[in-house]
Amino acid sequence: MMPTRQEFDEDFGLSGLAGKFQYPHVLLDDAAAATALVTAMAEEWDGSYGIWLLEDVRRLLASPLSDDLIVRLWLAATATHFDPTRHGMSGRDWMERIAALCVDRIRQGDRTTASDLPEPVIDEGLTRSVLEQVRGVGPMLSEAAVTTSHAVPLPDIVAPLEKVIAEVDADLGFRLFLRVMKAYFVRISAVRQASLLALGERFGYNRDVIDEGCLNVWPELD
């Protein structure tokens, strides 16, 4: 059976994949390793992971987001550890490549299809709540992305997150936001952590999807 959001005990879909692209999993600018990693992840959970990943990618591809925004989202979520543009691919080209790899794995595994996934979470209140979280840490997130010492500086990463949340899918946007927060070790308070966990419950996530031990929580900030 297709695993639900609650059954995943780690980040999943495109945001989960992006987490695997952070050093030391994939060498910077190694396209062969990148392709192998996508294939391996698509096979996780008896192939069901590939279906969730494919759904996330298809939502981005069907969205009005510009190619520049899509590649910027990817770079932010991976802390710039794999840049598809260095391999002659645009952001949409890379999403298409991920989709094709997922489809190939799903066909070989004879698994269920994307039609077996739960319906997307469409809720204006949830969308507003996610945007509030992004805006609440926006200045710190922007600063961390340009002052980091472990990745290529990446300016203006908040706007792409807001657009994917507001214009594509709050579910995917929330997971990408969390992944970017973890990628750049943005300091948050224990109160902020609790609010993120509570928001995750509203989406039906397992607690470990929100905080895999990678959120940079500083209780003294409260």
Side-chain angles (χ1 to χ4, degrees), residues 3-197:
T4 65
R5 294 181 180 89
Q6 180 62 38
E7 288 175 304
F8 279 106
D9 57 2
E10 62 178 346
D11 197 3
F12 59 92
L14 186 62
S15 54
L17 174 69
K20 301 299 182 183
F21 270 80
Q22 295 176 25
Y23 182 85
H25 298 290
V26 175
L27 295 176
L28 186 65
D29 288 337
D30 189 335
T35 297
L37 180 54
V38 173
T39 299
M41 291 303 297
E43 293 174 343
E44 290 291 309
W45 290 72
D46 294 327
S48 296
Y49 194 105
I51 296 173
W52 280 95
L53 175 55
L54 178 61
E55 184 71 2
D56 280 349
V57 169
R58 282 178 169 170
R59 289 181 192 174
L60 280 181
L61 288 171
S63 77
L65 298 187
S66 69
D67 187 81
D68 178 70
L69 283 177
I70 289 175
V71 77
R72 191 169 291 273
L73 280 169
W74 172 259
L75 290 174
T78 59
T80 69
H81 282 117
F82 178 74
D83 185 349
T85 66
R86 296 193 179 190
H87 303 279
M89 291 182 286
S90 68
R92 285 183 178 273
D93 289 339
W94 177 231
M95 292 299 111
E96 291 279 10
R97 179 61 177 152
I98 294 173
L101 291 167
C102 288
V103 168
D104 184 56
R105 291 298 94 190
I106 292 166
R107 284 174 179 164
Q108 289 189 29
D110 192 26
R111 301 298 303 168
T112 49
T113 66
S115 62
D116 298 300
L117 286 172
E119 289 296 315
V121 177
I122 302 174
D123 184 307
E124 290 185 4
L126 274 173
T127 299
R128 285 194 301 271
S129 294
V130 178
L131 287 171
E132 287 171 2
Q133 290 295 333
V134 174
R135 290 163 184 165
V137 299
M140 292 83 79
L141 183 54
S142 295
E143 181 180 5
V146 296
T147 61
T148 178
S149 61
H150 67 277
V152 177
L154 187 65
D156 190 25
I157 64 174
V158 173
L161 287 169
E162 291 181 341
K163 286 187 75 68
V164 75
I165 292 162
E167 300 180 19
V168 182
D169 178 23
D171 180 348
L172 172 58
F174 184 42
R175 284 184 280 116
L176 286 172
F177 163 60
L178 290 168
R179 180 54 54 198
V180 175
M181 290 275 290
K182 297 166 187 175
Y184 289 98
F185 304 107
V186 178
R187 294 194 299 175
I188 61 172
S189 68
V191 170
R192 175 76 64 184
Q193 178 193 32
S195 65
L196 292 172
L197 289 169

